[in-house]
Amino acid sequence: MMNTNAVPVRTESPDYLATLLQLGQLLNSSLELKQVLETAIEQVIAFVGAERGFILLVDVETGRVWGEAVRHIDRAALEATLTGNDLSNRAEISRTVVENVLDTRLPVLSHNAMEDPRFADRQSVQLTHLRSVLCVPLIAQGRLLGVIYLDNRVRTGLFTERHLAMLEAFANQASVAIENARLYDNLRRSLEERLRLQDELHRQETRRLALEEASRLKSDFISFVAHELRNPLTTIRGCVQTLMADHENTLPQKVREEFYESIEADADRLLDMINELLDVSRLEAGRPLTLAIKPVELCPLMEKLARRHRFYKHFTDRHEIVTQFAPGLPRTIDADEDKLNQILSNLLSNAIKYSPNGGVITLSAAPDGAQHVLLSVSDQGVGMSPEQVARLFRQYERVERDEIKNIPGTGLGLYLVKHLVDLHRGEISCESTPGQGSTFRVRLPVSTSEGTGSSSDS
Ligand code: ADP
């Protein structure tokens, strides 16, 4: 479609080559394609004396068209015209010219579109008062990418064959740049998508493993608990049956008392375990444990715990419990007495339980600066490796080792202890050496008046 319909009026011979070279350099620059096209159209408009111009791009996959580097044309109106949605009939440009180039893939050069037999009868051409028009296709590897469009609504015969040749040369280079950018964009998008999918897979896998681990821990836990509840019950049942069968009262009083003590100790053990389970289920249900804070006298509380634990089921005559109180220890600390009892009692029973060969168990308290106290429970028992220590305060976590495989437990004790220490705004830590023993340290604030507040237990 090369009917130019009139003789070009421009005669000067501008430096086409230099301009083309400049445009080529621009296209090869490291700037963003959008920015390159903006600058390029600016230069082309200035060079050929066009009034308006734009680059129209077509998405090869979706067929969507849009204007890029739009100069002196209302972008929204332009896109409405191009997509055939121009209801206002403002006809910013003549769609006929652009469609002509898109359909034929041939350039259009018209010196006066209003009188050009190809377009003269088109209403849009008349409405826009189109005079000089230059429009070339953008084609790369046989694919139509869009058009470059220039016009002037005042002057006729503005564009020459040389302008056309120059614009076509520029269009060739621009097509390659646009196609490269599109390919690069596709590549980047598919890489991003792949990374996103990989990420998602990884996340799902991690979630799956965590769920598996949680469900494994929970089912291990259920079998431990079943075992743990059954053992004391069996003892209680056995004692009760023996006592009931003794109609003649033949059992010596001492044996009888031992049976009662045993029943009481196992009933206590069951009660402790059930309370622990209730605390944990309360936490799991998202209902926090609350504290009833008041001044607690430390030494008497610890002495009482030490005395009581000498009757603990696993305490043997090879065990010894000692208490140590460092000078300067505050007489009272602000704490929930029951919970503090629970914390120390748990640590103390563990120290006894995990020292199957006996040894000295030390329960001590010392000031730690003016604001804190450090309570510790140390034993000379089986100890733990650093990896075992690292998993210590997790729920249901029982460290599996041969030397303690017959020692009963639910793996809930330390999880609750940690929670209770946290509630007191304290810290708990453990130092341990396999075969040599462990020391658990609980650091608690002396006073909770700075913000901890007290709340009543429910
Ligand atoms: P449980 O004693 O019911 O198993 P805990 O939460 O109290 O649960 O303890 C978790 C694990 O930590 C125990 O299974 C045990 O292996 C280890 N542990 C706790 N205290 C000690 C200790 N003093 N010495 C050695 N190991 C301990």
Side-chain angles (χ1 to χ4, degrees):
M1 167 99 35
M2 279 301 303
N3 179 355
T4 57
N5 111 42
V7 182
V9 289
R10 294 185 63 170
T11 47
E12 73 269 41
S13 159
D15 196 345
Y16 290 98
L17 224 61
T19 308
L20 250 179
L21 211 68
Q22 259 182 18
L23 289 171
Q25 278 167 355
L26 192 64
L27 286 170
N28 286 326
S29 68
S30 57
L31 297 172
E32 279 265 313
L33 182 72
K34 203 174 166 61
Q35 201 184 336
V36 167
L37 296 181
E38 297 273 352
T39 317
I41 202 90
E42 231 20 297
Q43 286 188 11
V44 171
I45 285 178
F47 184 73
V48 301
E51 183 203 350
R52 317 182 301 169
F54 64 86
I55 295 175
L56 168 99
L57 292 180
V58 182
D59 186 317
V60 190
E61 272 121 43
T62 62
R64 184 174 83 87
V65 291
W66 72 99
E68 203 69 79
V70 183
R71 281 294 170 279
H72 313 298
I73 301 176
D74 183 281
R75 177 185 289 271
L78 169 72
E79 286 184 359
T81 311
L82 292 174
T83 49
N85 293 328
D86 185 14
L87 301 177
S88 66
N89 213 10
R90 272 194 290 165
E92 269 289 311
I93 60 140
S94 165
R95 195 167 140 201
T96 320
V97 174
V98 174
E99 269 178 357
N100 197 309
V101 177
L102 288 175
D103 289 348
T104 61
R105 295 187 171 207
L106 291 171
V108 161
L109 168 58
S110 179
H111 298 303
N112 186 356
M114 300 261 282
E115 287 168 15
D116 191 323
R118 294 171 295 174
F119 313 116
D121 61 337
R122 296 305 169 100
Q123 199 193 5
S124 63
V125 171
Q126 299 302 327
L127 272 173
T128 41
H129 295 285
L130 262 194
R131 301 288 182 185
S132 302
V133 183
L134 184 51
C135 187
V136 299
L138 289 162
I139 297 171
Q141 292 172 349
R143 287 146 75 98
L144 183 67
L145 306 179
V147 302
I148 305 179
Y149 174 96
L150 301 169
D151 74 12
N152 193 308
R153 291 172 299 177
V154 183
R155 293 180 60 181
T156 54
L158 184 64
F159 306 128
T160 65
E161 291 289 342
R162 294 196 67 189
H163 285 144
L164 172 64
M166 190 201 77
L167 198 64
E168 281 191 298
F170 167 65
N172 282 342
Q173 297 184 56
S175 301
V176 174
I178 293 167
E179 179 69 353
N180 281 349
R182 196 185 62 82
L183 290 175
Y184 175 76
D185 217 46
N186 278 355
L187 194 71
R188 189 179 48 81
R189 261 202 306 251
S190 71
L191 270 177
E192 274 173 8
E193 180 60 9
R194 232 169 99 173
L195 284 178
R196 198 189 60 72
L197 281 176
Q198 266 175 5
D199 245 36
E200 180 57 25
L201 273 177
H202 183 73
R203 258 199 305 273
Q204 279 178 7
E205 182 63 8
T206 315
R207 225 175 299 142
R208 192 184 62 76
L209 287 176
L211 281 176
E212 256 181 38
E213 168 79 350
S215 112
R216 187 189 62 76
L217 284 173
K218 214 161 188 164
S219 62
D220 281 2
F221 166 75
I222 289 169
S223 57
F224 271 128
V225 169
H227 206 73
E228 282 300 287
L229 294 175
R230 207 178 46 197
N231 281 350
L233 271 179
T234 315
T235 319
I236 292 172
R237 213 160 161 260
C239 290
V240 170
Q241 277 171 349
T242 315
L243 288 169
M244 279 170 64
D246 182 29
H247 304 294
E248 318 288 307
N249 264 346
T250 50
L251 282 173
Q253 184 57 21
K254 191 159 175 357
V255 175
R256 207 171 262 284
E257 274 166 15
E258 271 173 16
F259 276 163
Y260 288 130
E261 268 174 31
S262 192
I263 291 171
E264 189 182 22
D266 276 327
D268 282 353
R269 196 169 131 210
L270 277 175
L271 203 63
D272 281 352
M273 235 162 28
I274 288 164
N275 283 337
E276 261 181 16
L277 287 172
L278 286 176
D279 278 354
V280 169
S281 76
R282 192 184 163 125
L283 285 179
E284 281 204 334
R287 282 179 295 138
L289 304 179
T290 48
L291 300 181
I293 301 273
K294 48 182 195 278
V296 177
E297 289 194 44
L298 259 186
C299 297
L301 177 131
M302 291 171 74
E303 291 286 11
K304 195 168 135 201
L305 275 171
R307 268 197 317 277
R308 219 183 71 196
H309 273 79
R310 291 185 184 109
F311 300 99
Y312 181 57
K313 192 167 182 82
H314 297 273
F315 191 84
T316 63
D317 50 12
R318 287 165 296 159
H319 287 99
E320 187 189 347
I321 301 183
V322 296
T323 48
Q324 286 175 354
F325 304 105
L329 186 70
R331 198 175 62 84
T332 62
I333 64 165
D334 288 346
D336 179 317
E337 187 159 0
D338 287 344
K339 307 282 193 256
L340 189 57
N341 244 309
Q342 203 177 336
I343 294 170
L344 293 173
S345 178
N346 247 300
L347 296 179
L348 213 46
S349 357
N350 276 353
I352 299 169
K353 198 160 79 166
Y354 296 113
S355 304
N357 300 322
V360 180
I361 287 142
T362 313
L363 181 60
S364 63
D368 184 15
Q371 311 290 335
H372 292 86
V373 289
L374 199 61
L375 313 179
S376 47
V377 179
S378 57
D379 62 61
Q380 301 170 328
V382 293
M384 282 168 282
S385 68
E387 299 77 54
Q388 289 165 338
V389 171
R391 297 164 48 197
L392 211 50
F393 300 104
R394 292 184 4 182
Q395 198 174 359
Y396 309 131
E397 197 71 68
R398 296 211 74 222
V399 178
E400 282 159 28
R401 287 165 294 173
D402 275 353
E403 63 268 44
I404 59 161
K405 82 169 173 265
N406 298 321
I407 299 177
T410 55
L412 287 181
L414 288 180
Y415 166 74
L416 273 176
V417 164
K418 163 101 173 69
H419 192 85
L420 295 175
V421 171
D422 286 348
L423 274 184
H424 281 88
R425 303 208 170 165
E427 289 148 36
I428 182 162
S429 60
C430 169
E431 221 174 275
S432 188
T433 312
Q436 288 187 26
S438 314
T439 300
F440 283 81
R441 292 192 180 84
V442 176
R443 186 171 178 266
L444 293 175
V446 174
S447 158
T448 53
S449 56
E450 290 125 41
T452 308
S454 65
S455 49
S456 60
D457 210 348
S458 53

